[in-house]
């Protein structure tokens, strides 16, 4: 039984590669299995993302590739570039599947409050949904999309929780290296990668700005930086929006208070 005046909350997120004509609707199923669908007013803004060129040097491959294990029984790649391509594609896909599994469960409460924090005193090195073309020896070898924001400050810089939540992952994660994922409730997650040290444990509750580890170069990182992502379940969304108090008010909190104040 649902109590009278219960507010149901759901975040709707479009992936970077979904068009603005994507169908967005609410589907509700009652306990008898009756299904109702309803549309709602929405404003989807077109966004263009940057193109970036990544030069892969032998020195980088020599330093990074030995860290990665390919699945047992698989033939060893005959060059470092061949191994890089396996890591950048196969391991990337495995990592995405792992992230999908981790973010499929979430706390049924809004654990966070106010704007999410950005790594203090850091410079943005790469943006959300940058389309990356990889070159080696002047030849194009791969293409991928960068689904986070790279922030660089000091080496081994203190990384803190962007907002309150529960640690749902604190371990190595392939190309992302040592990673922490925090569940902020209702399917909203933040992710911190390439850490040199992790200072939190699975299932630990963290408050906003609580230290969770140090930046580093673990996984597929050339220099010391934090790769920061925000997700609605397994859909990567633009962290810039969650760093912005007005965006949060206009798109999230005002919608909830509007409904609450309209209730008898
Ligand atoms: Zn990154």
């Amino acid at each position: 039984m649902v109590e009278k005046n219960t507010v149901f909350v759901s975040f709707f997120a479009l992936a970077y590669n979904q068009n603005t004509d994507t169908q967005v609707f609410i589907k509700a199923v009652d306990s008898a299995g009756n299904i109702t669908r309803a549309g709602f007013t929405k404003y989807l803004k077109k966004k263009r993302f940057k193109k970036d060129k990544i030069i892969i040097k032998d020195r980088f491959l020599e330093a990074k590739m030995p860290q990665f294990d390919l699945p047992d029984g698989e033939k060893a790649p005959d060059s470092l570039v061949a191994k890089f391509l396996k890591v950048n594609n196969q391991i990337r896909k495995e990592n995405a599947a792992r992230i999908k599994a981790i973010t499929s469960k979430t706390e049924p409460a809004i654990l966070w409050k106010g704007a999410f924090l950005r790594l203090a005193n850091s410079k943005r090195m790469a943006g959300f949904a940058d389309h990356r073309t990889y070159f080696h020896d002047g030849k194009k070898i791969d293409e991928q999309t960068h689904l986070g924001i790279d922030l660089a400050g000091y080496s081994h810089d203190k990384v803190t929780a962007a907002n309150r939540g529960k640690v749902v992952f604190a371990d190595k994660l392939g190309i992302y290296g040592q990673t922490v994922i925090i569940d902020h409730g209702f399917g909203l997650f933040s992710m911190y990668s390439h850490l040199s040290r992790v200072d939190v444990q699975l299932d630990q509750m963290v408050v906003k700005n609580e230290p969770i580890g140090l930046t580093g170069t673990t996984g597929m990182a050339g220099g010391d930086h934090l790769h920061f992502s925000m997700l609605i379940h397994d859909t990567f969304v633009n962290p810039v929006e969650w760093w912005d108090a007005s965006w949060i008010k206009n798109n999230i909190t005002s919608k909830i208070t509007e409904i609450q104040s309209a209730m008898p």
Side-chain angles (χ1 to χ4, degrees):
M1 267 303 274
V2 176
E3 267 176 60
K4 209 179 157 213
N5 290 350
T6 300
V7 179
F8 289 88
V9 175
S10 177
F11 298 140
F12 292 80
L14 257 61
Y16 74 96
N17 55 355
Q18 279 185 286
N19 294 326
T20 49
D21 59 5
T22 301
Q23 296 265 325
V24 183
F25 55 86
I26 301 165
K27 181 175 147 187
V29 185
D30 71 12
S31 46
N34 300 303
I35 300 171
T36 303
R37 285 177 196 229
F40 55 91
T41 319
K42 61 194 183 299
Y43 172 60
L44 301 174
K45 208 163 78 183
K46 263 205 168 70
K47 183 143 172 66
R48 289 176 69 98
F49 299 105
K50 224 184 91 199
K51 286 183 168 44
D52 203 5
K53 216 172 156 177
I54 306 271
I55 311 285
I56 298 294
K57 298 212 169 103
D58 287 332
R59 209 174 52 216
F60 172 79
L61 295 176
E62 281 155 16
K64 287 285 154 187
M65 287 311 112
Q67 291 179 24
F68 295 99
D69 290 324
L70 293 175
D72 287 343
E74 197 160 309
K75 203 173 117 253
D78 51 13
S79 71
L80 283 174
V81 173
K83 182 159 184 189
F84 168 80
L85 293 176
K86 288 227 163 198
V87 172
N88 209 28
N89 288 273
Q90 204 171 314
I91 294 188
R92 184 183 289 268
K93 273 203 197 98
E94 285 169 22
N95 298 158
R98 188 85 194 273
I99 293 167
K100 191 185 170 104
I102 296 161
T103 56
S104 65
K105 289 177 287 255
T106 185
E107 292 291 315
I110 292 179
L111 302 174
W112 55 277
K113 204 175 169 192
F116 283 66
L117 300 178
R118 182 187 187 277
L119 182 68
N121 305 313
S122 63
K123 209 176 135 208
R124 201 190 74 139
M125 308 304 281
F128 175 75
D130 282 359
H131 183 83
R132 291 178 156 178
T133 308
Y134 298 79
F135 290 85
H136 177 259
D137 271 348
K139 219 177 79 198
K140 177 181 147 183
I141 54 167
D142 206 1
E143 280 179 79
Q144 295 294 342
T145 306
H146 184 249
L147 295 174
I149 295 186
D150 288 348
L151 299 165
Y154 299 106
S155 192
H156 293 161
D157 216 347
K158 186 175 79 181
V159 177
T160 65
N163 218 319
R164 185 168 171 266
K166 184 179 161 191
V167 176
V168 288
F169 185 83
D171 206 344
K172 282 188 200 148
L173 186 63
I175 60 167
Y176 297 101
Q178 293 206 82
T179 295
V180 171
I181 300 177
I182 297 174
D183 175 16
H184 300 288
F186 279 109
L188 179 66
F189 295 84
S190 58
M191 174 172 158
Y192 314 75
S193 300
H194 306 311
L195 303 177
S196 58
R197 204 177 84 190
V198 170
D199 294 327
V200 284
Q201 285 170 353
L202 198 62
D203 294 333
Q204 185 181 330
M205 285 299 297
V206 285
V207 294
K208 196 194 260 195
N209 213 21
E210 181 170 335
I212 58 168
L214 301 177
T215 63
T217 57
T218 57
M220 201 102 93
D224 188 298
H225 73 275
L226 173 70
H227 173 98
F228 180 76
S229 293
M230 295 284 306
L231 305 101
I232 301 286
H233 286 296
D234 61 339
T235 301
F236 286 89
V237 293
N238 197 343
V240 170
E241 293 171 339
W242 295 91
W243 288 332
D244 178 353
S246 329
W247 184 90
I248 288 179
K249 184 168 178 276
N250 295 336
N251 292 280
I252 315 279
T253 40
S254 71
K255 309 283 177 199
I256 298 170
T257 45
E258 229 171 77
I259 302 276
Q260 283 170 333
S261 63
M263 283 182 160

